[in-house]
Amino acid sequence: MKLLEKLKGMEKTALKEIIESANLDELETSRVKYLGRKGVITDAIKGIKNVAKKDKPRVGQFINKIKQKITVLIAEKECSFREEEQARFENDDVTLPGIRREIGHKHPLIKTMEDIIEIFTRMGFKPVDSPEVETEFYNFEALNIPEDHPSRETFHTFYVEGGHLLRSQTSTTQIRIMERHKPPLQIIHAGKVYRPDAVDASHSFMFYQIEGFMVDEGIAFSDLKGVLEGFAKEYFGEDVKMRFRPHYFPFTEPSAEVDIACFICGGKGCRVCSYKGWLEILGAGMINPRIFEFVKIDPSKYTGFAFGMGIDRICMLKYGIDDIRLLYENDVRFLRQF
Ligand code: DAH
């Protein structure tokens, strides 16, 4: 019988296809092709109605057998694919250590800045923000540095379009805050400053400063000393030695530069302190009454102190970094060490 031959041929192709299917997707394609609603077997069953009456049972049984064989084979094949998958999972050694994801950490400069701010915050100073793009008024005039003043030289400045400049010191914050807020004031600010210096191991055209100041009735130089000593002990250690050297700043009177005894050599003299035994860490003084006049605070009623320090320098001293450029090159081999 021709029809049976045809069906046998179809059976052979179907079983071969199923056996050779390489994965669950291919197996599913074969299932749809043979057993699906519009599949080969379904078509064959539908075709029974055209078969001669006497042959119908034989043909019907034959097709049913093929259908069964295909169904069983697909089920077996599916089972073996799933077992393989399971085995692959079980072969994973769940006791192996995981892959550690590298997480970043703070840049040493930012860490230094945050550590310093944190200490002053605990002493009652309030951290504020202040702009980097400034005017001559805030960077110079209001800080008692008129145009022909020789100390403008020490604050070499980048000028930008529209009469603005990049601040060359964070002391601008004193004016920004005092013109809008009245005493008592206890303020701390950290941020970038810019100076067109030739870049070398100790100079960068951009660096970080911290500015702090306190204004109230009866603030004295001893308050400044107390605050700075408190800070130095907290940051550099209880045994730190500190000295105030008379200096000149246009915005403070009297002014001082503050040194700490070199913590590398203990004051004996070494490379880090250039054999001086002392490290300069900041400038400070009593706020010049002329500044109060600029910001309309009564100098006969209020006094205050101010101080400013370079964060880069403190960071370099603290971590033994001998070239400021390392702080800005972002070489991960350097940064990983902190
Ligand atoms: N602004 C000074 C500088 O850039 C640092 C400074 C000195 C700030 C004395 C002060 C101060 O507040 O009182 O070198």
Side-chain angles (χ1 to χ4, degrees), residues 292-337:
F292 287 142
E293 281 163 23
F294 274 107
V295 293
K296 302 193 172 56
I297 287 178
D298 182 359
S300 64
K301 188 169 176 202
Y302 293 106
T303 49
F305 65 74
F307 59 88
M309 60 184 134
I311 305 177
D312 301 70
R313 185 165 158 74
I314 301 223
C315 173
M316 289 166 74
L317 292 173
K318 175 104 176 173
Y319 296 107
I321 299 163
D322 60 5
D323 193 322
I324 192 171
R325 289 169 290 200
L326 290 165
L327 296 176
Y328 296 104
E329 281 166 355
N330 287 330
D331 185 333
V332 284
R333 290 169 304 180
F334 167 75
L335 295 174
R336 272 214 185 99
Q337 302 172 62

Side-chain angles (χ1 to χ4, degrees), residues 9 34 47 63 66 76 81 111 152 156 161 174 176 199 213 219 277 290-291 304:
Y34 293 100
I63 295 175
I66 298 175
E76 280 174 4
F81 278 136
K111 183 164 166 30
R152 275 222 187 184
H156 282 302
E161 284 169 8
Q174 292 183 36
R176 287 268 168 203
V199 175
F213 61 96
I219 298 283
R290 296 203 54 180
I291 307 300

